[in-house]
Amino acid sequence: MDTPLEKALSTLVFTFHKYSGREGNKLTLSKRELKELVKEELGLGEKMKKPGGIDELMKSLDRNCDQEIDFKEYTAFLSALCMSYNDFFQEEEK
Ligand SMILES: [Ca+2]
């Protein structure tokens, strides 16, 4: 039986591939795939509607500037999100 952390890790990997396989390179996220992922999985639809919202996110995540988000770039994104969640919960405890 998977522990919650193991399940979380599977979800992180599965979620990437759920979107990366939609168009173009199946192992990377295009801008459209990234937009769909953050909208559907992170509830950031409203933020992404703002002019330049998705472009800014794409620019900040695309470290090697190839206009695609590969798995490594995706994990850096999740790592940053994870740290902000941690900060949030630490603030809550104060
Ligand atoms: Ca890239």
Side-chain angles (χ1 to χ4, degrees), residues 8-40:
L9 289 172
S10 311
T11 304
L12 300 183
V13 173
F14 176 81
T15 303
F16 179 84
H17 292 286
K18 180 177 163 188
Y19 292 87
S20 71
R22 290 186 176 180
E23 66 174 14
N25 188 332
K26 300 224 174 303
L27 298 176
T28 60
L29 296 168
S30 63
K31 186 159 80 175
R32 189 197 304 191
E33 289 166 338
L34 175 69
K35 190 177 181 178
E36 287 167 354
L37 187 155
V38 296
K39 188 176 144 195
E40 290 164 37

